[in-house]
Amino acid sequence: MAKVTVRYWAAAKAAAGVAEEPYDAVTLADALGAVRERHPGELTRVLLRCSFLVDGDPVGTRGHETVRLAEGGTVEVLPPFAGG
């Protein structure tokens, strides 16, 4: 398992109540599953609308179970932003 930092932005940060937190996970799906277990309320609903960056790279439409996480990596949780 890799130790990663999950960083929350905007509505995700508000729902989590923290800006970032550590997780142990092999894939993005594992990390997000752990996030949902730790924050079963509003953050779980916010995650449905989010996009994700893993070590600065957009995940896009790739299956979260196929996105492997590196030791010391970062997952950015990005809700939709308003504006143009």
Side-chain angles (χ1 to χ4, degrees):
M1 291 228 182
K3 292 189 182 302
V4 299
T5 299
V6 176
R7 290 187 183 146
Y8 305 105
W9 297 95
K13 181 178 174 181
V18 295
E20 63 181 48
E21 54 192 356
Y23 284 92
D24 293 326
V26 174
T27 67
L28 178 57
D30 295 336
L32 294 177
V35 167
R36 289 181 186 99
E37 285 181 23
R38 190 176 291 177
H39 303 281
E42 179 63 21
L43 183 56
T44 297
R45 290 183 287 282
V46 171
L47 289 175
L48 296 173
R49 302 184 314 268
C50 289
S51 58
F52 304 95
L53 299 177
V54 173
D55 297 331
D57 294 325
V59 171
T61 60
R62 289 182 287 161
H64 295 169
E65 67 283 350
T66 68
V67 179
R68 298 193 61 81
L69 303 176
E71 181 69 26
T74 302
V75 174
E76 308 277 350
V77 180
L78 306 169
F81 292 92

